[in-house]
Amino acid sequence: MTSTSTSASTSTASGTYEGFTAEERAAMKDHAEERKKAARRGSRADKAAEAERDVLAKIAEMQDSDRAMAERVHAVVTAAAPALAPKLWYGMPAYALDGKVVCFFQSAEKFKARYATLGFSDLAKLDDGPMWAAGFALTEVTPEVAERIAALVERAVG
């Protein structure tokens, strides 16, 4: 069996196994750490305050353009839908209702993508016929984009 650090392919007698990439493994490790940390926290208020601090710390670690967008997304989401609680989800800033993620911000750097993404889980009430968007590419958060994000988030929890 052989493997490389850039792709998680391994050769086997029956062919090639496409496993998790290094970025995907890192995200899973982040998620496991998030769950352990949450289990150790005290009261509900302590958990919420610490979860928001974790989100803000993760945003502060991002590269400049991702950080600026994540800060703006965080401000828009928390203002538009105060019922959503910030938390980390697979190492990404996310916003949850009753502990379940409704939307999240994925930096471009996270999976070496060319743009950041605002994503929505299946809990978001964005249904629009037989097909609708659940993820949006972000290259900049202009005032117009912020308005669209606010409207989507309000609709998602509506």
Side-chain angles (χ1 to χ4, degrees):
M1 232 184 239
T2 61
S3 69
T4 64
S5 61
T6 56
S7 73
S9 288
T10 53
S11 297
T12 63
S14 62
T16 301
Y17 167 71
E18 293 294 326
F20 296 110
T21 64
E23 293 82 11
E24 290 167 332
R25 286 191 304 276
M28 289 185 288
K29 183 177 177 186
D30 287 342
H31 185 61
E33 287 300 316
E34 292 155 13
R35 293 189 59 135
K36 286 178 192 174
K37 194 172 188 179
R40 291 189 298 259
R41 292 183 179 145
S43 72
R44 182 176 290 201
D46 289 344
K47 288 180 182 183
E50 183 133 356
E52 182 157 19
R53 283 193 296 271
D54 291 346
V55 166
L56 294 173
K58 184 59 76 172
I59 290 171
E61 293 172 2
M62 293 179 185
Q63 292 181 355
D64 292 343
S65 62
D66 283 344
R67 183 176 58 249
M69 286 189 289
E71 288 170 345
R72 189 74 177 112
V73 167
H74 179 77
V76 170
V77 170
T78 56
L84 292 179
K87 67 182 273 180
L88 287 179
W89 184 62
Y90 292 96
M92 298 177 283
Y95 305 87
L97 186 62
D98 299 325
K100 297 180 181 171
V101 171
V102 173
C103 63
F104 60 91
F105 177 85
Q106 179 180 299
S107 70
E109 179 186 19
K110 180 93 176 149
F111 292 106
K112 297 178 178 36
R114 70 180 177 105
Y115 49 78
T117 305
L118 175 65
F120 291 88
S121 75
D122 60 339
L123 298 176
K125 298 174 183 168
L126 298 177
D127 304 35
D128 186 19
M131 183 175 148
W132 59 90
F136 298 85
L138 294 173
T139 58
E140 182 180 7
V141 181
T142 64
E144 296 80 19
V145 170
E147 284 181 32
R148 288 181 62 193
I149 291 170
L152 282 166
V153 170
E154 288 169 357
R155 187 170 151 210
V157 296

Short mmCIF file of all heavy atoms in Angstrom, two decimals, residues 2 5 26-27 46-47 52-53 64-65 67 70-71 77 81-84 92 125 129:
data_model
loop_
_atom_site.label_atom_id
_atom_site.label_comp_id
_atom_site.label_asym_id
_atom_site.label_seq_id
_atom_site.Cartn_x
_atom_site.Cartn_y
_atom_site.Cartn_z
N THR A 2 0.54 2.19 -0.82
CA THR A 2 1.26 3.45 -0.82
C THR A 2 0.27 4.58 -0.65
O THR A 2 -0.89 4.46 -1.01
CB THR A 2 2.03 3.66 -2.15
OG1 THR A 2 1.09 3.68 -3.20
CG2 THR A 2 3.07 2.59 -2.36
N SER A 5 0.79 12.50 0.65
CA SER A 5 0.22 13.48 1.55
C SER A 5 -0.72 14.43 0.83
O SER A 5 -1.55 15.06 1.44
CB SER A 5 1.32 14.26 2.26
OG SER A 5 2.10 14.94 1.30
N ALA A 26 -8.18 16.75 8.47
CA ALA A 26 -8.02 17.85 9.43
C ALA A 26 -9.38 18.35 9.90
O ALA A 26 -9.56 18.65 11.10
CB ALA A 26 -7.22 18.99 8.80
N ALA A 27 -10.35 18.45 9.00
CA ALA A 27 -11.70 18.89 9.38
C ALA A 27 -12.34 17.90 10.35
O ALA A 27 -12.98 18.30 11.33
CB ALA A 27 -12.57 19.07 8.14
N ASP A 46 -22.32 29.36 29.72
CA ASP A 46 -20.87 29.22 29.56
C ASP A 46 -20.55 28.58 28.21
O ASP A 46 -19.62 28.99 27.52
CB ASP A 46 -20.28 28.34 30.67
CG ASP A 46 -20.27 29.02 32.03
OD1 ASP A 46 -20.43 30.26 32.08
OD2 ASP A 46 -20.11 28.30 33.03
N LYS A 47 -21.30 27.56 27.85
CA LYS A 47 -21.09 26.88 26.57
C LYS A 47 -21.29 27.84 25.41
O LYS A 47 -20.49 27.88 24.47
CB LYS A 47 -22.03 25.69 26.42
CG LYS A 47 -21.68 24.53 27.30
CD LYS A 47 -22.65 23.38 27.11
CE LYS A 47 -22.31 22.22 28.04
NZ LYS A 47 -23.17 21.08 27.85
N GLU A 52 -18.93 31.01 21.05
CA GLU A 52 -18.75 32.22 20.26
C GLU A 52 -17.29 32.66 20.27
O GLU A 52 -16.76 33.07 19.23
CB GLU A 52 -19.66 33.36 20.73
CG GLU A 52 -19.47 34.58 19.84
CD GLU A 52 -20.63 35.54 19.83
OE1 GLU A 52 -21.47 35.51 20.74
OE2 GLU A 52 -20.69 36.33 18.87
N ARG A 53 -16.63 32.56 21.41
CA ARG A 53 -15.20 32.90 21.46
C ARG A 53 -14.40 31.99 20.53
O ARG A 53 -13.48 32.44 19.83
CB ARG A 53 -14.66 32.79 22.89
CG ARG A 53 -15.04 33.96 23.78
CD ARG A 53 -14.25 33.97 25.08
NE ARG A 53 -14.51 32.81 25.92
CZ ARG A 53 -15.48 32.74 26.83
NH1 ARG A 53 -16.27 33.76 27.04
NH2 ARG A 53 -15.63 31.63 27.55
N ASP A 64 -6.25 37.05 5.31
CA ASP A 64 -6.89 38.37 5.26
C ASP A 64 -8.25 38.42 4.57
O ASP A 64 -9.22 38.86 5.16
CB ASP A 64 -5.96 39.39 4.60
CG ASP A 64 -4.74 39.70 5.46
OD1 ASP A 64 -4.76 39.38 6.67
OD2 ASP A 64 -3.78 40.24 4.92
N SER A 65 -8.34 37.98 3.31
CA SER A 65 -9.60 38.11 2.58
C SER A 65 -10.69 37.22 3.19
O SER A 65 -11.84 37.64 3.33
CB SER A 65 -9.43 37.81 1.10
OG SER A 65 -9.01 36.48 0.91
N ARG A 67 -10.78 36.20 6.30
CA ARG A 67 -11.09 36.75 7.62
C ARG A 67 -12.07 37.91 7.50
O ARG A 67 -13.05 37.99 8.24
CB ARG A 67 -9.82 37.19 8.35
CG ARG A 67 -10.11 37.70 9.76
CD ARG A 67 -8.84 38.04 10.54
NE ARG A 67 -8.03 39.03 9.87
CZ ARG A 67 -6.83 38.80 9.33
NH1 ARG A 67 -6.30 37.60 9.38
NH2 ARG A 67 -6.16 39.75 8.74
N ALA A 70 -15.46 36.48 6.66
CA ALA A 70 -16.01 35.73 7.79
C ALA A 70 -16.49 36.68 8.90
O ALA A 70 -17.54 36.44 9.51
CB ALA A 70 -14.98 34.75 8.33
N GLU A 71 -15.73 37.74 9.16
CA GLU A 71 -16.15 38.72 10.17
C GLU A 71 -17.47 39.36 9.76
O GLU A 71 -18.37 39.52 10.58
CB GLU A 71 -15.08 39.79 10.35
CG GLU A 71 -13.85 39.30 11.08
CD GLU A 71 -12.69 40.28 11.06
OE1 GLU A 71 -12.70 41.24 10.24
OE2 GLU A 71 -11.74 40.08 11.84
N VAL A 77 -25.08 37.44 10.13
CA VAL A 77 -25.87 36.29 10.60
C VAL A 77 -26.37 36.52 12.02
O VAL A 77 -27.55 36.30 12.31
CB VAL A 77 -25.06 34.98 10.51
CG1 VAL A 77 -25.79 33.84 11.20
CG2 VAL A 77 -24.79 34.63 9.05
N ALA A 81 -30.40 36.87 12.54
CA ALA A 81 -31.05 35.72 13.17
C ALA A 81 -30.45 35.48 14.56
O ALA A 81 -29.65 34.57 14.75
CB ALA A 81 -30.89 34.48 12.30
N PRO A 82 -30.85 36.31 15.53
CA PRO A 82 -30.29 36.17 16.87
C PRO A 82 -30.56 34.81 17.52
O PRO A 82 -29.86 34.43 18.47
CB PRO A 82 -30.96 37.29 17.68
CG PRO A 82 -31.68 38.14 16.72
CD PRO A 82 -31.77 37.42 15.42
N ALA A 83 -31.52 34.07 17.02
CA ALA A 83 -31.81 32.73 17.55
C ALA A 83 -30.72 31.73 17.20
O ALA A 83 -30.60 30.68 17.84
CB ALA A 83 -33.15 32.23 17.03
N LEU A 84 -29.91 32.04 16.18
CA LEU A 84 -28.82 31.14 15.79
C LEU A 84 -27.63 31.36 16.71
O LEU A 84 -27.20 32.48 16.94
CB LEU A 84 -28.41 31.38 14.34
CG LEU A 84 -29.44 31.00 13.28
CD1 LEU A 84 -28.91 31.33 11.89
CD2 LEU A 84 -29.80 29.53 13.38
N MET A 92 -15.07 25.09 11.13
CA MET A 92 -15.61 26.25 10.41
C MET A 92 -16.60 27.00 11.29
O MET A 92 -17.32 26.38 12.08
CB MET A 92 -16.35 25.80 9.14
CG MET A 92 -15.48 25.10 8.13
SD MET A 92 -16.41 24.53 6.68
CE MET A 92 -17.23 23.08 7.34
N LYS A 125 -34.67 26.48 5.93
CA LYS A 125 -35.96 26.49 5.23
C LYS A 125 -35.86 27.33 3.95
O LYS A 125 -36.52 28.35 3.80
CB LYS A 125 -37.04 27.03 6.16
CG LYS A 125 -37.21 26.15 7.39
CD LYS A 125 -38.17 26.75 8.38
CE LYS A 125 -38.23 25.86 9.60
NZ LYS A 125 -38.90 26.51 10.70
N GLY A 129 -39.39 24.82 -4.61
CA GLY A 129 -39.69 23.88 -5.69
C GLY A 129 -38.81 22.64 -5.59
O GLY A 129 -38.31 22.30 -4.53
#
